[in-house]
Coordinates of all heavy atoms in Angstrom, one line a residue:
M982 N 9.3 83.4 97.2 CA 8.0 83.1 97.4 C 7.3 82.5 96.2 O 6.3 81.9 96.3 CB 7.3 84.5 97.7 CG 7.7 85.1 99.1 SD 7.5 84.0 100.5 CE 5.9 84.2 100.9
E983 N 7.9 82.8 95.0 CA 7.3 82.2 93.8 C 7.3 80.7 93.9 O 6.4 80.1 93.3 CB 8.1 82.7 92.6 CG 7.5 82.3 91.2 CD 8.2 82.9 90.0 OE1 8.8 84.0 90.2 OE2 8.0 82.3 89.0
S984 N 8.4 80.2 94.4 CA 8.5 78.8 94.4 C 7.3 78.1 95.3 O 6.7 77.2 94.9 CB 9.8 78.3 95.1 OG 10.9 78.6 94.3
F985 N 7.0 78.8 96.4 CA 5.9 78.3 97.2 C 4.6 78.4 96.4 O 3.8 77.5 96.5 CB 5.8 79.1 98.6 CG 6.8 78.7 99.5 CD1 8.0 79.5 99.8 CD2 6.7 77.4 100.3 CE1 8.9 79.1 100.7 CE2 7.6 77.1 101.2 CZ 8.7 77.9 101.5
S986 N 4.4 79.5 95.8 CA 3.2 79.7 95.0 C 3.1 78.6 93.9 O 1.9 78.1 93.8 CB 3.3 81.1 94.4 OG 2.1 81.3 93.5
R987 N 4.1 78.3 93.2 CA 4.0 77.3 92.2 C 3.8 75.9 92.7 O 3.0 75.2 92.3 CB 5.3 77.3 91.3 CG 5.3 78.6 90.4 CD 6.5 78.6 89.6 NE 6.6 79.8 88.8 CZ 6.2 80.0 87.6 NH1 5.7 79.0 86.8 NH2 6.4 81.1 86.9
L988 N 4.5 75.6 93.9 CA 4.3 74.3 94.5 C 2.8 74.2 95.0 O 2.3 73.1 94.9 CB 5.3 74.1 95.6 CG 6.6 73.9 95.2 CD1 7.7 73.9 96.4 CD2 6.8 72.5 94.5
G989 N 2.3 75.3 95.5 CA 0.9 75.2 95.9 C -0.1 75.0 94.9 O -1.3 74.6 95.2
K990 N 0.2 75.3 93.6 CA -0.7 75.0 92.5 C -0.5 73.6 92.0 O -1.3 73.1 91.1 CB -0.5 76.1 91.4 CG -0.8 77.4 91.9 CD -0.4 78.4 90.8 CE -0.7 79.8 91.3 NZ -0.3 80.9 90.4
A991 N 0.6 72.9 92.2 CA 0.8 71.5 91.8 C -0.2 70.6 92.5 O -0.7 70.8 93.6 CB 2.2 71.1 92.1
R992 N -0.6 69.5 91.7 CA -1.4 68.5 92.2 C -0.6 67.5 93.1 O -1.2 66.8 93.9 CB -2.3 67.9 91.1 CG -3.3 68.9 90.5 CD -4.1 68.3 89.4 NE -4.8 67.2 89.9 CZ -5.2 66.2 89.0 NH1 -5.0 66.2 87.7 NH2 -5.9 65.2 89.5
V993 N 0.6 67.3 92.7 CA 1.6 66.4 93.4 C 2.9 66.8 93.0 O 3.2 67.3 91.9 CB 1.2 64.9 93.0 CG1 1.6 64.6 91.5 CG2 2.0 63.9 94.0
V994 N 3.8 66.5 94.0 CA 5.2 66.8 93.8 C 6.0 65.4 93.9 O 5.8 64.8 95.0 CB 5.8 67.9 94.8 CG1 7.3 68.0 94.7 CG2 5.2 69.2 94.4
V995 N 6.9 65.2 93.0 CA 7.9 64.0 93.2 C 9.2 64.7 93.5 O 9.7 65.5 92.7 CB 8.0 63.2 91.9 CG1 8.9 62.2 92.1 CG2 6.6 62.7 91.6
A996 N 9.8 64.2 94.7 CA 11.2 64.7 95.0 C 11.8 63.8 95.9 O 11.2 63.0 96.6 CB 11.0 66.1 95.8
N997 N 13.2 63.9 95.9 CA 13.9 63.1 96.9 C 13.9 64.0 98.1 O 13.2 65.0 98.3 CB 15.3 62.8 96.4 CG 16.1 64.1 96.1 OD1 15.6 65.1 96.0 ND2 17.5 63.8 96.0
C998 N 14.8 63.5 99.1 CA 14.8 64.2 100.4 C 15.6 65.6 100.2 O 16.8 65.7 100.3 CB 15.5 63.4 101.5 SG 15.5 64.1 103.0
N999 N 14.8 66.6 99.9 CA 15.4 67.9 99.7 C 14.4 69.0 100.0 O 13.4 68.8 100.4 CB 15.8 68.1 98.2 CG 14.8 68.0 97.2 OD1 13.6 68.3 97.4 ND2 15.0 67.5 96.0
A1000 N 14.8 70.2 99.8 CA 14.0 71.4 100.2 C 12.6 71.4 99.5 O 11.6 71.8 100.0 CB 14.8 72.7 99.8
I1001 N 12.6 70.9 98.1 CA 11.4 71.0 97.4 C 10.3 70.1 98.2 O 9.2 70.5 98.2 CB 11.6 70.5 96.0 CG1 12.7 71.4 95.3 CG2 10.3 70.3 95.3 CD1 12.1 72.8 95.0
S1002 N 10.7 69.0 98.6 CA 9.6 68.1 99.2 C 9.2 68.8 100.5 O 7.9 68.8 100.9 CB 10.2 66.8 99.6 OG 11.2 66.8 100.5
H1003 N 10.0 69.5 101.3 CA 9.7 70.2 102.5 C 8.7 71.4 102.1 O 7.7 71.7 102.9 CB 10.9 70.6 103.3 CG 11.6 69.4 103.8 ND1 11.3 68.8 105.0 CD2 12.6 68.7 103.3 CE1 12.1 67.8 105.2 NE2 12.9 67.7 104.2
M1004 N 9.1 72.2 101.1 CA 8.3 73.3 100.7 C 6.9 72.8 100.2 O 5.9 73.5 100.5 CB 9.1 74.1 99.6 CG 10.3 74.7 100.1 SD 11.4 75.3 98.8 CE 10.4 76.4 98.0
A1005 N 6.9 71.8 99.4 CA 5.5 71.3 99.0 C 4.6 70.9 100.3 O 3.5 71.2 100.2 CB 5.8 70.1 98.1
A1006 N 5.2 70.3 101.2 CA 4.5 69.9 102.4 C 3.9 71.1 103.1 O 2.9 71.2 103.6 CB 5.4 69.1 103.3
V1007 N 4.7 72.2 103.2 CA 4.4 73.4 103.9 C 3.1 74.0 103.2 O 2.2 74.5 103.9 CB 5.5 74.5 103.9 CG1 5.0 75.8 104.2 CG2 6.6 74.0 104.9
V1008 N 3.0 73.9 101.9 CA 1.9 74.6 101.2 C 0.7 73.5 101.0 O -0.3 73.7 100.5 CB 2.2 75.2 99.8 CG1 3.2 76.3 100.0 CG2 2.8 74.2 98.9
G1009 N 0.9 72.3 101.5 CA -0.2 71.3 101.5 C -0.3 70.5 100.2 O -1.3 69.8 100.1
T1010 N 0.7 70.5 99.5 CA 0.7 69.6 98.2 C 1.2 68.2 98.5 O 2.2 68.1 99.2 CB 1.7 70.3 97.2 OG1 1.2 71.7 96.9 CG2 1.7 69.5 95.8
P1011 N 0.5 67.2 98.0 CA 0.9 65.9 98.2 C 2.3 65.6 97.7 O 2.7 66.1 96.6 CB -0.1 65.1 97.4 CG -1.4 66.0 97.3 CD -0.8 67.4 97.3
V1012 N 3.1 64.8 98.5 CA 4.4 64.5 98.0 C 4.6 63.0 97.8 O 4.4 62.3 98.7 CB 5.4 65.1 99.1 CG1 6.9 64.6 98.7 CG2 5.3 66.5 99.3
V1013 N 5.3 62.6 96.7 CA 5.8 61.4 96.5 C 7.3 61.5 96.7 O 8.0 62.1 95.9 CB 5.4 60.8 95.0 CG1 6.1 59.4 94.9 CG2 3.9 60.6 94.9
G1014 N 7.8 61.0 97.8 CA 9.2 61.2 98.2 C 10.0 59.9 97.9 O 9.6 58.8 98.3
L1015 N 11.1 60.1 97.2 CA 12.0 59.1 96.9 C 13.2 59.1 97.9 O 13.8 60.0 98.2 CB 12.6 59.2 95.5 CG 11.7 59.7 94.3 CD1 12.4 59.8 93.1 CD2 10.7 58.6 94.2
Y1016 N 13.2 57.9 98.6 CA 14.3 57.7 99.8 C 15.0 56.5 99.5 O 14.7 55.5 99.1 CB 13.5 57.7 101.1 CG 12.8 58.9 101.4 CD1 11.5 59.3 101.0 CD2 13.5 59.9 102.1 CE1 10.9 60.4 101.2 CE2 12.8 61.1 102.3 CZ 11.5 61.4 101.9 OH 11.0 62.6 102.2
G1017 N 16.4 56.7 99.9 CA 17.3 55.6 99.8 C 18.3 55.8 101.0 O 18.3 55.1 101.9
P1018 N 19.2 56.8 100.7 CA 20.3 57.0 101.8 C 19.7 57.7 103.1 O 20.5 57.8 104.0 CB 21.2 57.8 101.0 CG 20.6 58.5 100.0 CD 19.5 57.6 99.6
T1019 N 18.6 58.2 103.0 CA 18.0 58.9 104.2 C 16.7 58.2 104.7 O 16.0 57.5 104.0 CB 17.6 60.4 103.8 OG1 16.6 60.4 102.8 CG2 18.9 61.1 103.4
N1020 N 16.5 58.4 106.0 CA 15.3 57.8 106.6 C 14.2 58.9 106.6 O 14.2 60.0 107.2 CB 15.7 57.5 108.0 CG 14.5 56.9 108.8 OD1 13.4 56.9 108.4 ND2 14.8 56.1 109.8
P1021 N 13.0 58.6 106.0 CA 12.0 59.6 105.8 C 11.3 59.9 107.1 O 10.7 61.0 107.3 CB 11.0 59.0 104.9 CG 11.3 57.5 104.9 CD 12.8 57.4 105.1
L1022 N 11.4 59.0 108.1 CA 10.9 59.3 109.5 C 11.7 60.4 110.1 O 11.2 61.1 111.0 CB 10.9 58.0 110.3 CG 9.9 56.9 109.8 CD1 10.1 55.7 110.7 CD2 8.5 57.3 109.7
I1023 N 12.9 60.6 109.7 CA 13.9 61.5 110.4 C 13.9 62.8 109.6 O 13.9 64.0 110.0 CB 15.2 61.0 110.7 CG1 15.1 59.8 111.7 CG2 16.2 62.0 111.2 CD1 16.3 58.9 111.9
T1024 N 14.2 62.6 108.3 CA 14.5 63.8 107.3 C 13.4 64.1 106.4 O 13.4 65.1 105.7 CB 15.8 63.4 106.5 OG1 15.5 62.3 105.6 CG2 17.0 63.2 107.3
G1025 N 12.3 63.3 106.4 CA 11.1 63.6 105.5 C 10.3 64.8 105.9 O 10.5 65.3 107.0
P1026 N 9.5 65.3 105.0 CA 8.7 66.5 105.3 C 7.7 66.1 106.3 O 7.2 65.0 106.3 CB 8.1 66.9 104.0 CG 8.2 65.7 103.2 CD 9.3 64.9 103.6
F1027 N 7.2 67.2 107.0 CA 6.1 67.0 108.0 C 4.8 67.1 107.1 O 4.4 68.2 107.0 CB 6.1 67.9 109.2 CG 7.3 67.8 110.0 CD1 8.4 68.7 110.0 CD2 7.4 66.7 110.8 CE1 9.5 68.6 110.8 CE2 8.5 66.5 111.8 CZ 9.6 67.5 111.7
S1028 N 4.3 65.9 106.8 CA 3.1 65.9 106.0 C 2.3 64.6 106.1 O 2.9 63.6 106.2 CB 3.5 66.0 104.4 OG 2.4 65.9 103.7
E1029 N 1.0 64.8 106.3 CA 0.2 63.6 106.3 C -0.1 63.1 104.9 O -0.6 62.0 104.8 CB -1.1 63.9 107.1 CG -1.0 64.2 108.5 CD -2.2 64.4 109.3 OE1 -3.3 64.1 108.7 OE2 -2.1 64.9 110.4
D1030 N 0.4 63.8 103.9 CA 0.2 63.4 102.5 C 1.5 63.0 101.9 O 1.7 63.5 100.7 CB -0.6 64.5 101.8 CG -1.5 64.0 100.7 OD1 -1.3 62.7 100.4 OD2 -2.2 64.7 100.1
L1031 N 2.3 62.4 102.6 CA 3.6 61.9 102.0 C 3.5 60.4 101.7 O 3.1 59.6 102.6 CB 4.8 62.1 103.0 CG 6.1 61.5 102.7 CD1 6.7 62.0 101.5 CD2 7.0 61.5 103.9
T1032 N 3.9 60.1 100.5 CA 4.0 58.7 100.0 C 5.5 58.4 99.9 O 6.1 59.1 99.1 CB 3.2 58.4 98.8 OG1 1.9 58.7 99.1 CG2 3.4 56.9 98.4
V1033 N 6.0 57.4 100.7 CA 7.5 57.1 100.5 C 7.6 56.1 99.5 O 6.9 55.0 99.6 CB 8.0 56.6 102.0 CG1 9.4 56.2 101.8 CG2 7.8 57.8 103.0
V1034 N 8.6 56.3 98.6 CA 9.0 55.3 97.6 C 10.4 54.9 98.0 O 11.3 55.8 98.0 CB 8.9 55.8 96.2 CG1 9.4 54.9 95.2 CG2 7.4 56.2 95.8
S1035 N 10.7 53.7 98.3 CA 11.9 53.3 98.6 C 12.1 51.8 98.4 O 11.2 51.0 98.4 CB 12.2 53.5 100.2 OG 13.4 52.9 100.7
L1036 N 13.5 51.4 98.1 CA 13.7 50.0 97.9 C 14.0 49.3 99.1 O 14.2 48.0 99.2 CB 14.8 49.9 96.9 CG 14.6 50.4 95.4 CD1 15.8 50.3 94.6 CD2 13.4 49.6 94.9
N1037 N 14.1 50.0 100.2 CA 14.4 49.4 101.5 C 15.6 48.6 101.6 O 15.6 47.4 102.0 CB 13.2 48.7 102.1 CG 12.1 49.7 102.3 OD1 12.2 50.7 102.9 ND2 10.9 49.3 101.8
K1038 N 16.7 49.1 101.0 CA 17.9 48.3 100.9 C 18.5 48.0 102.3 O 18.3 48.9 103.2 CB 19.0 49.0 100.1 CG 18.7 49.2 98.6 CD 19.0 48.0 97.9 CE 18.9 48.1 96.3 NZ 19.2 47.0 95.6
P1039 N 19.2 46.9 102.5 CA 19.6 46.7 103.9 C 20.7 47.6 104.4 O 21.0 47.8 105.6 CB 20.2 45.1 103.8 CG 20.3 44.8 102.4 CD 19.3 45.8 101.6
C1040 N 21.4 48.3 103.4 CA 22.5 49.2 103.8 C 21.9 50.6 104.2 O 22.6 51.5 104.5 CB 23.5 49.3 102.7 SG 22.8 49.8 101.1
A1041 N 20.6 50.8 103.9 CA 20.0 52.2 104.2 C 19.4 52.2 105.5 O 18.9 51.2 106.0 CB 19.0 52.4 103.1
P1042 N 19.4 53.4 106.1 CA 19.9 54.6 105.7 C 21.5 54.6 105.9 O 21.9 53.9 106.7 CB 19.2 55.7 106.4 CG 18.9 54.9 107.8 CD 18.6 53.5 107.4
C1043 N 22.1 55.6 105.3 CA 23.6 55.7 105.4 C 24.0 56.7 106.4 O 24.7 57.7 106.1 CB 24.1 56.2 104.0 SG 23.8 55.1 102.6
Y1044 N 23.6 56.5 107.6 CA 23.8 57.4 108.8 C 24.9 56.7 109.6 O 24.6 56.5 110.8 CB 22.7 57.7 109.6 CG 21.6 58.6 108.8 CD1 20.4 58.1 108.8 CD2 22.0 59.8 108.3 CE1 19.3 58.9 108.2 CE2 21.0 60.5 107.7 CZ 19.6 60.0 107.7 OH 18.7 60.8 106.9
R1045 N 26.0 56.4 109.2 CA 27.0 55.8 110.0 C 28.4 56.5 109.8 O 28.6 57.1 108.7 CB 27.1 54.3 109.9 CG 27.2 53.8 108.6 CD 27.1 52.2 108.6 NE 27.5 51.7 107.3 CZ 26.6 51.5 106.3 NH1 25.4 52.0 106.4 NH2 27.0 51.0 105.2
R1046 N 29.3 56.3 110.7 CA 30.6 56.9 110.5 C 31.3 56.6 109.2 O 31.2 55.4 108.9 CB 31.4 56.5 111.7 CG 32.7 57.3 112.0 CD 33.4 56.9 113.2 NE 32.6 57.1 114.3 CZ 32.9 58.2 115.2 NH1 33.8 59.0 114.9 NH2 32.1 58.4 116.3
G1047 N 31.8 57.5 108.5 CA 32.4 57.2 107.3 C 31.5 57.4 106.1 O 31.9 57.3 104.9
Y1048 N 30.1 57.5 106.3 CA 29.2 57.5 105.2 C 28.4 58.8 105.1 O 27.3 58.8 104.6 CB 28.2 56.3 105.3 CG 29.0 55.0 104.8 CD1 29.6 54.2 105.7 CD2 29.0 54.6 103.5 CE1 30.2 53.0 105.4 CE2 29.5 53.5 103.1 CZ 30.1 52.6 104.1 OH 30.8 51.6 103.7
L1049 N 28.9 59.8 105.7 CA 28.2 61.1 105.7 C 27.8 61.7 104.4 O 26.9 62.3 104.2 CB 29.0 62.1 106.5 CG 29.1 61.8 108.0 CD1 30.0 62.9 108.6 CD2 27.8 61.7 108.7
T1050 N 28.6 61.3 103.3 CA 28.2 61.7 101.9 C 27.7 60.6 101.1 O 27.6 60.6 99.9 CB 29.5 62.4 101.2 OG1 30.5 61.3 101.2 CG2 30.0 63.6 101.9
G1051 N 27.4 59.5 101.7 CA 26.8 58.4 101.0 C 27.9 57.3 100.7 O 29.1 57.5 101.0
C1052 N 27.5 56.3 100.1 CA 28.4 55.1 99.8 C 29.2 55.3 98.5 O 30.1 54.5 98.3 CB 27.6 53.9 99.8 SG 26.5 53.8 98.4
G1053 N 28.8 56.2 97.6 CA 29.5 56.4 96.3 C 28.8 55.5 95.2 O 29.2 55.7 94.1
D1054 N 27.9 54.6 95.6 CA 27.1 53.8 94.6 C 25.7 53.8 95.0 O 25.2 52.8 95.6 CB 27.8 52.4 94.6 CG 27.2 51.6 93.5 OD1 26.6 52.2 92.5 OD2 27.3 50.4 93.6
P1055 N 25.0 54.9 94.8 CA 23.7 55.0 95.4 C 22.6 54.2 94.6 O 21.6 54.7 94.2 CB 23.4 56.5 95.2 CG 24.2 56.9 94.0 CD 25.3 56.0 94.0
V1056 N 22.7 52.9 94.6 CA 21.7 52.0 93.9 C 20.4 52.1 94.7 O 19.4 51.8 94.0 CB 22.3 50.5 93.9 CG1 23.5 50.4 93.1 CG2 22.5 50.0 95.3
C1057 N 20.4 52.5 96.0 CA 19.1 52.7 96.6 C 18.3 53.7 96.0 O 17.0 53.7 96.1 CB 19.4 53.0 98.1 SG 20.4 54.5 98.2
M1058 N 18.8 54.6 95.1 CA 18.1 55.6 94.4 C 18.0 55.2 92.9 O 16.9 55.3 92.3 CB 18.6 57.0 94.6 CG 18.6 57.5 96.0 SD 16.9 57.7 96.7 CE 16.5 59.3 95.8
T1059 N 19.2 54.9 92.3 CA 19.1 54.7 90.8 C 18.4 53.5 90.5 O 18.0 53.3 89.3 CB 20.6 54.6 90.4 OG1 21.3 53.4 91.0 CG2 21.4 55.7 90.7
E1060 N 18.1 52.5 91.3 CA 17.4 51.3 90.9 C 15.9 51.4 91.3 O 15.2 50.5 91.0 CB 18.0 50.2 91.7 CG 19.4 49.8 91.0 CD 20.0 48.4 91.8 OE1 19.3 47.9 92.7 OE2 21.0 48.1 91.4
I1061 N 15.4 52.6 91.7 CA 14.1 52.7 91.9 C 13.4 52.7 90.5 O 13.6 53.5 89.7 CB 13.7 54.0 92.7 CG1 14.2 53.9 94.1 CG2 12.1 54.3 92.7 CD1 14.0 55.3 94.9
P1062 N 12.5 51.8 90.3 CA 11.8 51.7 89.0 C 10.9 52.9 88.7 O 10.2 53.4 89.6 CB 11.0 50.4 88.9 CG 11.4 49.6 90.2 CD 12.0 50.7 91.1
V1063 N 10.9 53.5 87.5 CA 10.0 54.5 87.1 C 8.6 54.1 87.4 O 7.8 54.9 87.9 CB 10.2 54.9 85.7 CG1 9.1 55.9 85.2 CG2 11.6 55.4 85.5
E1064 N 8.2 52.8 87.0 CA 6.9 52.4 87.2 C 6.4 52.4 88.6 O 5.2 52.8 89.0 CB 6.7 50.9 86.7 CG 6.9 50.9 85.2 CD 8.3 50.9 84.6 OE1 9.2 50.8 85.5 OE2 8.4 51.2 83.5
M1065 N 7.3 52.3 89.6 CA 7.0 52.3 91.0 C 6.5 53.8 91.4 O 5.6 54.0 92.1 CB 8.2 51.9 91.8 CG 8.0 51.7 93.2 SD 9.6 51.0 93.9 CE 9.0 50.6 95.6
V1066 N 7.3 54.7 90.9 CA 7.0 56.1 91.1 C 5.7 56.5 90.4 O 4.9 57.1 91.0 CB 8.2 57.0 90.8 CG1 8.0 58.5 91.0 CG2 9.4 56.7 91.4
Y1067 N 5.6 56.1 89.3 CA 4.4 56.5 88.4 C 3.2 56.0 89.1 O 2.2 56.6 89.1 CB 4.6 55.9 87.0 CG 3.5 56.0 86.1 CD1 3.1 57.4 85.6 CD2 2.7 55.1 85.7 CE1 2.1 57.6 84.7 CE2 1.5 55.3 84.8 CZ 1.3 56.5 84.4 OH 0.2 56.7 83.5
R1068 N 3.2 54.8 89.5 CA 2.0 54.2 90.3 C 1.5 55.0 91.4 O 0.5 55.3 91.6 CB 2.4 52.8 90.8 CG 1.3 52.1 91.4 CD 1.6 50.6 91.7 NE 1.7 49.8 90.5 CZ 2.9 49.2 90.3 NH1 4.0 49.5 91.0 NH2 3.0 48.6 89.2
E1069 N 2.6 55.5 92.2 CA 2.2 56.2 93.4 C 1.7 57.7 93.0 O 0.9 58.2 93.7 CB 3.4 56.4 94.3 CG 3.8 55.0 94.8 CD 2.8 54.3 95.6 OE1 1.8 54.9 96.1 OE2 2.8 53.0 95.5
V1070 N 2.3 58.2 92.0 CA 1.7 59.5 91.4 C 0.3 59.4 91.0 O -0.6 60.2 91.3 CB 2.6 60.0 90.3 CG1 2.0 61.3 89.6 CG2 4.0 60.5 90.9
C1071 N 0.0 58.3 90.2 CA -1.4 58.1 89.8 C -2.4 58.0 90.9 O -3.4 58.4 90.9 CB -1.4 56.8 88.9 SG -0.7 57.1 87.3
K1072 N -2.0 57.3 92.0 CA -2.9 57.1 93.1 C -3.1 58.5 93.8 O -4.2 58.7 94.1 CB -2.1 56.2 94.1 CG -2.1 54.7 93.9 CD -1.4 53.9 94.9 CE -1.1 52.5 94.5 NZ -0.3 51.8 95.6
K1073 N -2.0 59.3 93.8 CA -2.2 60.6 94.4 C -3.2 61.4 93.6 O -4.1 62.2 94.1 CB -0.9 61.4 94.5 CG 0.0 60.9 95.6 CD -0.4 61.3 96.9 CE 0.5 60.8 98.0 NZ -0.1 60.9 99.3
L1074 N -3.1 61.4 92.3 CA -3.9 62.2 91.4 C -5.3 61.7 91.3 O -6.2 62.6 91.3 CB -3.3 62.2 90.0 CG -2.0 62.9 89.8 CD1 -1.4 62.7 88.4 CD2 -2.2 64.3 90.2
N1075 N -5.6 60.4 91.2 CA -7.0 60.0 91.1 C -7.2 58.6 91.5 O -8.2 58.0 91.2 CB -7.4 60.2 89.6 CG -6.6 59.3 88.6 OD1 -5.9 58.5 89.0 ND2 -6.7 59.7 87.4
G1076 N -6.3 57.9 92.1 CA -6.5 56.6 92.6 C -6.4 55.5 91.6 O -6.5 54.3 91.8
N1077 N -6.0 55.8 90.3 CA -5.9 54.9 89.3 C -4.4 54.7 88.8 O -3.7 55.7 88.7 CB -6.7 55.1 88.0 CG -8.3 55.2 88.4 OD1 -8.7 54.3 89.1 ND2 -8.9 56.1 87.9
F1078 N -4.0 53.6 88.4 CA -2.8 53.3 87.8 C -3.0 53.0 86.4 O -3.7 52.1 85.9 CB -2.1 52.1 88.4 CG -0.8 51.6 87.8 CD1 0.3 52.5 87.8 CD2 -0.7 50.4 87.1 CE1 1.5 52.2 87.1 CE2 0.5 50.0 86.6 CZ 1.5 50.9 86.4
Y1079 N -2.5 53.9 85.5 CA -2.6 53.8 84.1 C -1.5 52.9 83.5 O -0.4 53.0 83.7 CB -2.5 55.2 83.4 CG -3.6 56.1 83.8 CD1 -3.4 57.2 84.6 CD2 -4.9 55.9 83.4 CE1 -4.4 58.0 85.0 CE2 -5.8 56.8 83.7 CZ -5.6 57.8 84.5 OH -6.6 58.7 84.9
E1080 N -1.9 51.8 82.9 CA -1.0 51.0 82.2 C -0.3 51.6 81.1 O -0.9 52.3 80.2 CB -1.8 49.7 81.7 CG -2.3 48.8 82.8 CD -1.2 48.1 83.6 OE1 -0.1 47.9 83.1 OE2 -1.5 47.8 84.7
T1081 N 1.0 51.5 81.1 CA 1.7 52.1 80.0 C 1.9 51.0 78.9 O 1.7 49.8 79.2 CB 3.2 52.5 80.4 OG1 3.8 51.4 81.0 CG2 3.0 53.7 81.4
E1082 N 2.2 51.4 77.7 CA 2.2 50.4 76.6 C 3.2 49.3 76.9 O 2.9 48.2 76.6 CB 2.8 51.2 75.3 CG 2.5 50.5 74.1 CD 2.7 51.4 72.8 OE1 2.2 52.6 72.9 OE2 3.4 51.0 72.0
G1083 N 4.3 49.5 77.6 CA 5.3 48.4 78.0 C 4.8 47.5 79.1 O 5.3 46.5 79.3
N1084 N 3.8 48.0 79.8 CA 3.4 47.1 81.0 C 2.0 46.5 80.8 O 1.5 46.0 81.8 CB 3.3 48.1 82.2 CG 4.6 48.5 82.8 OD1 5.5 47.9 82.6 ND2 4.7 49.8 83.3
Q1085 N 1.5 46.5 79.6 CA 0.2 46.0 79.4 C 0.2 44.3 79.4 O 1.2 43.8 79.1 CB -0.4 46.3 78.1 CG -0.7 47.9 78.3 CD -1.4 48.4 76.9 OE1 -1.7 47.7 76.1 NE2 -1.4 49.7 76.9

């Protein structure tokens, strides 16, 4: 129950397709969800406040015979730029994207 309590106090949660994103949705916390090998329409949390971050690789999602544990080279996740996630978090928090020193 402590996890639900803490997630309920968060202003936004960043998570991949896992229990944390679903728990955050249950308590009404906005979720920035990172997706690659899974399809958020099928495995994502039930939330109207879900923002999907995905590279939309042509090989995704990995739901085919022989790929139940993924492809072994999850570039669909590892290549998601931090700035892409950061931008969506900023939008959730206050609608603004703060320029970082390296992006000015």
Side-chain angles (χ1 to χ4, degrees):
M982 294 308 276
E983 185 176 337
S984 296
F985 283 105
S986 175
R987 290 181 186 262
L988 287 169
K990 293 175 184 173
R992 291 181 56 204
V993 65
V994 168
V995 177
N997 62 342
C998 185
N999 62 27
I1001 298 297
S1002 64
H1003 294 272
M1004 292 167 61
V1007 166
V1008 297
T1010 299
V1012 176
V1013 174
L1015 310 180
Y1016 292 88
T1019 59
N1020 181 340
L1022 296 175
I1023 297 171
T1024 62
F1027 294 110
S1028 173
E1029 292 183 13
D1030 209 354
L1031 167 66
T1032 298
V1033 173
V1034 175
S1035 174
L1036 295 178
N1037 298 311
K1038 294 279 188 180
C1040 57
C1043 301
Y1044 293 127
R1045 54 187 186 277
R1046 194 176 297 260
Y1048 285 92
L1049 295 177
T1050 60
C1052 67
D1054 186 19
V1056 294
C1057 56
M1058 295 297 282
T1059 60
E1060 290 182 359
I1061 294 175
V1063 172
E1064 291 78 15
M1065 190 176 189
V1066 178
Y1067 178 70
R1068 180 178 294 115
E1069 297 306 327
V1070 169
C1071 288
K1072 287 180 190 176
K1073 289 283 185 199
L1074 292 176
N1075 60 13
N1077 295 322
F1078 173 63
Y1079 295 107
E1080 290 292 332
T1081 59
E1082 201 170 305
N1084 288 333
Q1085 293 180 10

